[in-house]
Amino acid sequence: MISPELNFNLFTSDLSHYFKNQVKVGLFGSGVGLSVVLGFSAAYVCYYLISVAKKPILIAGGKKFHQFLRDKCPVVSETYYPTFWCWESRVQTLLRPFVTAKPWVNYRNELITAPDGGQISLDWFDNDDSASHPDQSTRPTVLLLPGLTGTSRESYILHMVQQSRDLGYRCVVFNNRGVSGEKLLTPRTYCAANTEDLEVVIEHVQRTIDKAPLMAAGVSMGGMMLANYLGRKGSEVRLKGVVVFSAGWDVFECTASLEKPLDRFLFNSYLTSCLQASVDRHRTILEKKYDIDHVMKAKTIREFDERFTSVMFGYPSNDDYYRDASPIHKIKSVQVPMLCLNAADDVFSPNHAFPVEAVKQNPNVALLITYHGGHIGFLEGLWPRQSTYMDRVFRQFTKGVFENGRSLDDLH
């Protein structure tokens, strides 16, 4: 690990050399201009190294899981250096889809039928070229759950597939109903609280590759759904491990945070329009049961949920839906190793609502909190195209569980 002092010395040395060769020093006949620039740059570097670049906080309910993470997932103990020119929460969140690369993945699509007659789209990356796991029947497999309106083509999903490919693993992406181009066959979509489709998918995957070890990773709403599933099913869950990124733990607090003026302007209105666009694509079948015109007039996610989501899934009120959708109430019942990564500056999931006390009481759960990273951001490096801190957490934890999972068999 390069020390902050060495970083600072190298930076100021290079910066001084650059300005001596590129900048005319004679501002008003003196070197004042260069001095100001160097002074400002040095101050910024000092601020970054002291206040921005920090080691994450690791909270684990049991010593065994805590030690496993430090041994097999060393990134949890390393200083996270956010990209120095975009470390602020909202900037990280907004730039992630644009600056990170989208590696090409050739999926094999499968449509499966749900008990209500609806169809669910799965995108498989079989990784048949795997050198480390050539036997497809036993090839370790990761089930991936995208965010609110996400699909298998989101950059963060593609990066996890790429990491899995490099390790020799197989992936399958669970696309929520109606979001990846398939037709809705029944007037039903999805929500964070309802885990019926996820249960169908997990059972199908385990039947299909019954000899292969299976893990799951969920991002944002996908992580919320996954955590809710683990809490509801408890000891029935057969997953080897789970990793959750940027989950919203208390939906009341998440919604309130996104209704603050700036965040409503930057995120809330846009996400509401995305949800409405998804509904409008399936208007023909949905308008048989719901007032779609009323739904299309919603201005916020809360209004959308009041008019559509809570109604669709039969909740007496939107508050009842939000309470049921909040994973914070189910952490105590999780019975498989689950690592959760959140950034303390995530406006989608405010840090005062993190389930710190609940995690401390469950030896199967660990919470990793970075000081910066935004919502599904975690950008690092000068130009964060290829990999993020989140990618490294996923890679190390997944490898640790698949290759050293026996040490996690009994965390109590």
Side-chain angles (χ1 to χ4, degrees):
M1 181 65 66
I2 299 176
S3 70
E5 292 79 12
L6 182 56
N7 274 340
F8 176 78
N9 291 335
L10 289 172
F11 180 89
T12 53
S13 175
D14 290 346
L15 193 67
S16 176
H17 176 75
Y18 172 83
F19 278 106
K20 284 179 180 178
N21 287 277
Q22 302 294 332
V23 179
K24 293 181 179 180
V25 192
L27 182 64
F28 302 113
S30 70
V32 174
L34 178 59
S35 299
V36 169
V37 171
L38 286 175
F40 176 82
S41 300
Y44 183 84
V45 171
C46 287
Y47 175 79
Y48 175 87
L49 294 175
I50 294 171
S51 301
V52 178
K54 292 178 178 290
K55 288 187 176 181
I57 299 170
L58 178 62
I59 302 165
K63 292 182 179 179
K64 191 173 182 180
F65 195 18
H66 189 278
Q67 191 59 50
F68 172 88
L69 291 171
R70 290 198 174 277
D71 291 343
K72 307 301 181 184
C73 193
V75 68
V76 305
S77 304
E78 297 173 1
T79 299
Y80 167 47
Y81 292 93
T83 300
F84 79 94
W85 51 269
C86 66
W87 50 264
E88 196 274 333
S89 167
R90 295 170 184 84
V91 179
Q92 284 245 341
T93 304
L94 290 167
L95 287 184
R96 164 73 189 246
F98 301 103
V99 301
T100 53
K102 287 191 173 185
W104 171 251
V105 174
N106 187 23
Y107 289 116
R108 172 176 60 86
N109 184 256
E110 179 185 18
L111 294 175
I112 63 175
T113 303
D116 71 333
Q119 62 181 358
I120 303 169
S121 174
L122 302 179
D123 282 323
W124 291 82
F125 175 71
D126 296 305
N127 203 9
D128 289 331
D129 295 328
S130 173
S132 54
H133 299 279
D135 185 352
Q136 63 86 25
S137 67
T138 58
R139 186 174 301 139
T141 302
V142 188
L143 173 64
L144 303 175
L145 284 70
L148 185 60
T149 58
T151 70
S152 60
R153 291 298 173 186
E154 305 304 320
S155 64
Y156 55 82
I157 293 292
L158 295 173
H159 278 231
M160 286 192 282
V161 173
Q162 183 180 50
Q163 297 289 339
S164 301
R165 180 193 64 197
D166 293 345
L167 292 169
Y169 306 152
R170 169 174 44 211
C171 288
V172 53
V173 185
F174 165 34
N175 299 292
N176 286 304
R177 294 196 199 191
V179 300
S180 63
E182 78 283 6
K183 184 179 180 181
L184 274 187
L185 301 182
T186 59
R188 166 175 166 157
T189 56
Y190 59 93
C191 74
N194 189 286
T195 60
E196 292 172 353
D197 282 358
L198 176 58
E199 293 170 31
V200 170
V201 168
I202 291 176
E203 290 172 4
H204 171 77
V205 171
Q206 290 178 326
R207 282 196 309 270
T208 304
I209 48 170
D210 59 331
K211 295 180 181 179
L214 180 65
M215 285 185 62
V219 181
S220 191
M221 194 209 73
M224 296 167 65
M225 185 186 294
L226 191 52
N228 283 329
Y229 164 78
L230 297 181
R232 288 200 178 101
K233 290 297 182 178
S235 59
E236 298 177 35
V237 177
R238 291 168 52 202
L239 299 172
K240 295 296 183 182
V242 167
V243 58
V244 168
F245 301 106
S246 296
W249 296 104
D250 185 325
V251 181
F252 292 101
E253 296 299 331
C254 297
T255 308
S257 178
L258 287 173
E259 288 173 346
K260 295 176 181 178
L262 179 58
D263 298 317
R264 176 171 174 166
F265 170 74
L266 290 175
F267 305 113
N268 201 324
S269 297
Y270 172 73
L271 286 174
T272 303
S273 67
C274 290
L275 290 167
Q276 289 170 324
S278 181
V279 168
D280 197 45
R281 282 197 300 272
H282 304 287
R283 177 186 282 266
T284 303
I285 192 167
L286 292 174
E287 64 184 0
K288 295 176 181 179
K289 289 189 66 175
Y290 310 106
D291 186 351
I292 302 303
D293 288 335
H294 187 50
V295 173
M296 297 302 289
K297 294 176 183 177
K299 301 299 182 184
T300 63
I301 293 174
R302 186 192 299 271
E303 289 182 1
F304 178 89
D305 289 334
E306 289 171 345
R307 301 176 186 195
F308 186 72
T309 314
S310 61
V311 177
M312 173 175 286
F313 290 93
Y315 288 96
S317 70
N318 197 55
D319 283 357
D320 289 300
Y321 163 52
Y322 278 6
R323 193 172 298 110
D324 196 29
S326 300
I328 192 171
H329 305 302
K330 304 177 186 71
I331 292 290
K332 62 184 178 182
S333 302
V334 173
Q335 296 295 309
V336 299
M338 179 171 75
L339 173 62
C340 312
L341 173 64
N342 282 92
D345 63 353
D346 185 352
V347 299
F348 284 70
S349 183
N351 61 65
H352 63 264
F354 289 174
V356 173
E357 294 306 316
V359 168
K360 289 179 179 178
Q361 301 303 315
N362 189 334
N364 299 295
V365 183
L367 176 62
L368 183 65
I369 305 172
T370 58
Y371 285 84
H372 298 280
H375 187 70
I376 329 176
F378 303 104
L379 303 176
E380 61 182 358
L382 182 62
W383 185 244
R385 290 275 301 163
Q386 303 304 323
S387 180
T388 68
Y389 182 82
M390 172 177 149
D391 296 337
R392 293 197 291 134
V393 171
F394 170 81
R395 181 187 181 99
Q396 292 182 14
F397 182 69
T398 303
K399 182 179 180 181
V401 171
F402 278 141
E403 300 184 13
N404 304 275
R406 289 187 178 181
S407 60
L408 295 175
D409 286 346
D410 183 12
L411 290 175
H412 293 275

